[in-house]
Amino acid sequence: MRAILKSLFAGTKITNLPKSIIIIHEGDPADKLHYIISGYIKVYAVVSSGEQRIIFLYGPGDIFPLTTYLSGSNIAMFYYETMSTTQLQILNSKQFESKVEGNIEVAEVIMRYAIKTHGLFIKRMTEMVSSASPTTKVIDTLIYLVKKFGGDKNQTNIEMPINTREFAGLCGLGREDVLSQLKPLRALGVALKANKLTINPVEFKKAKTKNLTL
Amino acid sequence: MTKQPYSGKSSIFINPRGFIEQRFIGLVSPESTIDAIKQITTYTKKQQAQGKPVLILEDLTEVAKSEFLSPKMAEVRHAVARATKELNFDKAAAYGPLSFQVIVASLALMAGKRNQIMVFGSRTDAIKWLLKK
């Protein structure tokens, strides 16, 4: 699936962006598609207090905002911002349409990817607003990150350029809550320091299997 | 009023406002999808024979579950893709849950009919676009 998605962007210019660049603003038309070669993108809403509430993350191999592009609204509901230096390839709608036209295999891959991403998105939203305990919220978020970015069985560590405030937002918790929840998780291969979250997926999965997820 | 059990079928009729309306209910199975293609093809030809514009409204709000992307539906997907490409119509609007919007929009892209086929979250928006001159 990933190879087909990547091939859609073959031959397009590579764009290098520094950290903290807003690529899409809330309310923008979803008229371009972005393929991430490297780096991470955070998707967030700005809540009434002015704070960012991160809802979703995109990483290498992802395309955004594909579901919005294919939906009826066609208008971005969130902000999309680089979390690190990021390499992207971009297609405008005309270019994208010409790549898909007449190709049922590509259309099917797009459907699957968009529906899967939407499913993850809804799950994330549900987990964030749930009344679950802080421990459950942190564990759910870590499971989401391992599932989304720890695809390779042999991968050693997942490293995300995310700070405590951002991670707390992603969990739907306050900063202090998250810090206290993360302490005991160090033994399970999870560490958040110097604006970097490290997860050892093997250790984390083992711990989860042993029902050590608190 | 007792809700009717899902029948896994589609119904089709000419809406008094002049467009073809097709409604899917229940489980999208290979049989019901092929039936739906036959129905829409017949109605499209009828409208054309009468010299009327062919406007189609697809109601996907009551589809119980989609197995459209499952391996057993591969042939059906190809049939739908072919029909989307070959069917001669002026405009088609589909409305329903986001997952179905994605499926219809992807088929529209594949058929090269992105401007002729639009997806919506609500019936009101779908009809408004469909009847816009």
Side-chain angles (χ1 to χ4, degrees):
Chain A
M1 181 157 87
R2 295 278 171 167
I4 290 179
L5 293 175
K6 186 181 177 183
S7 72
L8 293 173
F9 292 80
T12 58
K13 190 182 138 197
I14 294 172
T15 304
N16 292 290
L17 295 173
K19 186 184 169 182
S20 303
I21 297 292
I22 300 177
I23 299 166
I24 300 170
H25 290 75
E26 181 189 348
D28 281 353
D31 55 3
K32 289 188 190 77
L33 290 164
H34 306 74
Y35 175 79
I36 305 174
I37 300 169
S38 64
Y40 291 90
I41 304 291
K42 61 181 174 185
V43 180
Y44 63 89
V46 177
V47 293
S48 53
S49 62
E51 285 177 18
Q52 289 178 14
R53 176 53 58 90
I54 301 178
I55 295 151
F56 204 74
L57 300 176
Y58 286 106
D62 278 325
I63 294 179
F64 68 91
L66 184 59
T67 311
T68 308
Y69 173 81
L70 293 172
S71 75
S73 78
N74 209 24
I75 298 290
M77 291 171 69
F78 303 103
Y79 292 86
Y80 293 70
E81 181 179 327
T82 56
M83 299 174 77
S84 57
T85 51
T86 303
Q87 279 196 322
L88 296 172
Q89 286 173 291
I90 303 167
L91 284 177
N92 64 35
S93 52
K94 281 264 175 284
Q95 292 169 316
F96 185 69
E97 284 167 27
S98 72
K99 302 257 181 180
V100 184
E101 189 174 341
N103 195 331
I104 182 70
E105 191 190 0
V106 170
E108 285 180 5
V109 166
I110 288 167
M111 286 178 210
R112 281 181 214 284
Y113 176 78
I115 290 171
K116 188 182 166 196
T117 304
H118 178 63
L120 269 177
F121 197 90
I122 295 296
K123 190 167 184 288
R124 271 283 61 221
M125 295 276 272
T126 310
E127 286 170 356
M128 281 176 69
V129 299
S130 79
S131 55
S133 69
T135 307
T136 304
K137 287 193 170 197
V138 170
I139 296 291
D140 283 346
T141 305
L142 291 168
I143 291 170
Y144 154 69
L145 293 174
V146 170
K147 272 188 185 166
K148 180 124 182 63
F149 301 113
D152 183 355
K153 261 189 207 170
N154 303 317
Q155 186 172 353
T156 48
N157 281 350
I158 299 167
E159 289 186 350
M160 306 278 310
I162 190 167
N163 61 36
T164 312
R165 184 178 49 82
E166 289 171 329
F167 184 70
L170 193 59
C171 296
L173 294 169
R175 195 172 169 274
E176 295 307 316
D177 266 340
V178 157
L179 285 173
S180 65
Q181 294 300 324
L182 282 174
K183 266 184 201 162
L185 292 175
R186 274 193 199 154
L188 309 182
V190 178
L192 178 57
K193 57 183 176 183
N195 295 336
K196 192 165 78 179
L197 174 70
T198 309
I199 310 169
N200 181 321
V202 179
E203 287 302 313
F204 185 71
K205 278 177 191 165
K206 256 194 251 169
K208 201 175 150 272
T209 313
K210 285 182 193 166
N211 203 22
L212 291 175
T213 54
L214 315 171
Chain B
M1 198 170 87
T2 315
K3 200 169 179 183
Q4 291 295 311
Y6 285 119
S7 57
K9 285 183 180 172
S10 65
S11 60
I12 192 163
F13 60 96
I14 301 291
N15 185 292
R17 298 174 78 176
F19 52 81
I20 302 167
E21 180 162 351
Q22 189 168 39
R23 190 174 170 211
F24 290 82
I25 302 168
L27 188 71
V28 176
S29 65
E31 297 76 19
S32 64
T33 311
I34 298 297
D35 273 353
I37 293 173
K38 284 179 189 162
Q39 286 176 348
I40 196 75
T41 307
T42 307
Y43 270 72
T44 300
K45 284 179 181 166
K46 271 187 199 168
Q47 290 290 88
Q48 279 164 344
Q50 293 172 24
K52 292 178 180 171
V54 182
L55 305 175
I56 301 167
L57 182 70
E58 298 284 353
D59 175 356
L60 305 171
T61 53
E62 289 191 58
V63 180
K65 184 186 169 190
S66 173
E67 292 191 348
F68 192 74
L69 293 173
S70 72
K72 73 172 184 181
M73 295 285 275
E75 273 184 42
V76 178
R77 282 197 297 278
H78 285 248
V80 172
R82 244 189 337 268
T84 310
K85 201 166 182 173
E86 290 168 5
L87 210 59
N88 202 355
F89 58 89
D90 296 289
K91 283 164 101 179
Y95 67 100
L98 198 131
S99 55
F100 291 106
Q101 291 180 39
V102 164
I103 289 171
V104 174
S106 303
L107 287 167
L109 282 174
M110 191 281 311
K113 293 184 176 177
R114 178 73 162 153
N115 296 327
Q116 265 174 281
I117 303 172
M118 295 293 272
V119 292
F120 299 90
S122 83
R123 179 180 176 88
T124 311
D125 290 343
I127 293 176
K128 193 176 162 189
W129 175 81
L130 195 63
L131 298 180
K132 197 173 155 187
K133 297 277 179 190

